[in-house]
């Protein structure tokens, strides 16, 4: 599925639509350069799951943010993850096993660790505000 959004609110709304299709243990792998709207998409996912969106920010320095919920939404930033040891220290696999929904920014860096069932979301810049968002592995 390919969708064009024209502003942050539309990107968030698409994330909310996707979240309604997700179940425990799902990994949403986000791909895209800096400033593409990956965190806005995750903010929409949180909203769609009925979670407060004010807490949602890029976990660049903490690497992992837990937002609660049932199942819980866990937000990863893999920008600085370079090795398997780095990945293991984030708790990535434990969160999957525990049944969380994972939203993973910079999935490019952990491509070989993504489950085959991961929902892949690629965000590309078309203009300052417009984005092309490609979603693979889920129907919304």
């Amino acid at each position: 599925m390919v969708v064009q959004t024209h502003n942050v609110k539309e990107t968030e709304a698409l994330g909310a639509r996707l979240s309604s299709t997700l179940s425990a243990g799902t990994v949403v792998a986000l791909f895209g350069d800096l400033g593409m709207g990956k965190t806005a998409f995750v903010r929409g996912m949180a909203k769609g799951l009925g979670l407060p969106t004010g807490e949602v920010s890029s976990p660049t320095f903490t690497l992992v943010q837990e937002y609660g919920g049932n199942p819980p939404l866990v937000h990863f930033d893999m920008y600085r993850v370079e090795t398997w040891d780095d990945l293991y220290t984030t708790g990535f696999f434990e969160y999957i096993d525990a049944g969380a929904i994972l939203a993973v920014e910079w999935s490019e860096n952990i491509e070989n660790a993504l489950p085959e069932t991961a929902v892949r979301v690629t965000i590309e810049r078309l203009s300052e505000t417009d984005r092309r968002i490609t979603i693979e592995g889920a129907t919304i």
Side-chain angles (χ1 to χ4, degrees), residues 62-136:
T62 60
L63 299 182
V64 181
Q65 297 271 30
E66 295 180 45
Y67 301 126
N70 187 19
L73 175 62
V74 182
H75 186 188
F76 288 84
D77 186 315
M78 299 298 187
Y79 184 75
R80 294 182 288 141
V81 172
E82 298 177 355
T83 66
W84 282 96
D85 286 341
D86 291 345
L87 180 59
Y88 279 109
T89 63
T90 67
F92 177 78
F93 297 106
E94 289 85 1
Y95 283 112
I96 293 172
D97 291 343
I101 294 172
L102 279 59
V104 184
E105 294 191 33
W106 297 101
S107 288
E108 297 89 338
N109 292 351
I110 63 161
E111 184 90 35
N112 294 330
L114 294 172
E116 289 182 21
T117 58
V119 175
R120 301 171 69 87
V121 177
T122 303
I123 305 176
E124 302 168 274
R125 179 190 309 268
L126 298 177
S127 72
E128 187 63 34
T129 57
D130 293 0
R131 302 291 185 264
R132 177 185 304 121
I133 302 175
T134 305
I135 301 173
E136 301 170 284

Side-chain angles (χ1 to χ4, degrees), residues 31-42:
F31 297 86
D33 290 333
L34 188 66
M36 289 298 106
K38 296 180 298 288
T39 301
F41 192 90
V42 175

Side-chain angles (χ1 to χ4, degrees), residues 7 11 13 21 32 34 50 58-60 69 91 97 117 119:
N7 55 53
T11 298
T21 71
L34 188 66
S58 182
T60 302
D97 291 343
T117 58
V119 175

